[in-house]
Structure formats: structure tokens, C-alpha cells
Amino acid sequence: MDSLSDTIRMMRVARAMLELSQEQLAERAGVGRQTIVRIEAGGRGVAFDVVAKVRTTLEKAGVVFLPSTAEHGPAIALRKSKSTE
């Protein structure tokens, strides 16, 4: 990912792709729901390590954060399950 702000912008989409509620993501990440709300609202007042913890939770659930290239900006994708490879 290009920057922390890119990561924060992609987190709501990542959660939606996984079909998780804010409550479910908060529980999996070990943070409060209000923390997820603040991250999805732009991340103001949320410590870097907390954002990293939520990102790691999303990645463990199957999200891949993709960096910018010459052809496109930052993006996210779902990892293919091992059973379909």
C-alpha cells in the first residue's frame, strides 16, 4: 500500500467485500466498534498500531491490499481460497 491514508480509505471496502459488520470486524481485531467507525471516517485519532492491527485482521480474513502501479491506483482483492487454486 502506498500510504497509511490509502490503507484507511480501502478498509471499509475490504470489510464490505468480506461481508463483515463493523461489530464483527471489531471483535475479530480485538478493538471497539467505535474504533472501526473512526477508521472508516478517515482514521483521525486512531493510533497507527491500531490501524495496522485491523489491516492484519482483514488480511488474515482474505483481503489483499495492492499497491499503486503505473496503470492503477491502490486497490484491494480477495485472496483465492486454496481449494480453488
Side-chain angles (χ1 to χ4, degrees):
M1 193 60 41
D2 294 358
S3 70
L4 179 61
S5 62
D6 289 335
T7 298
I8 288 170
R9 281 193 298 270
M10 304 302 284
M11 288 179 135
R12 182 172 186 219
V13 176
R15 178 178 62 78
M17 288 177 71
L18 293 169
E19 299 180 347
L20 294 175
S21 68
Q22 289 177 332
E23 293 83 8
Q24 290 168 320
L25 178 56
E27 184 176 316
R28 287 185 183 196
V31 300
R33 187 187 68 78
Q34 279 303 116
T35 299
I36 304 301
V37 170
R38 287 195 328 261
I39 289 171
E40 291 182 357
R44 292 191 183 265
V46 181
F48 173 81
D49 61 322
V50 174
V51 172
K53 185 177 186 178
V54 175
R55 177 181 169 160
T56 298
T57 300
L58 291 166
E59 290 172 332
K60 286 180 180 177
V63 171
V64 178
F65 288 83
L66 303 168
S68 292
T69 68
E71 291 81 35
H72 64 76
I76 56 172
L78 290 177
R79 186 178 329 109
K80 288 185 177 182
S81 66
K82 293 183 193 266
S83 62
T84 61
E85 291 181 346

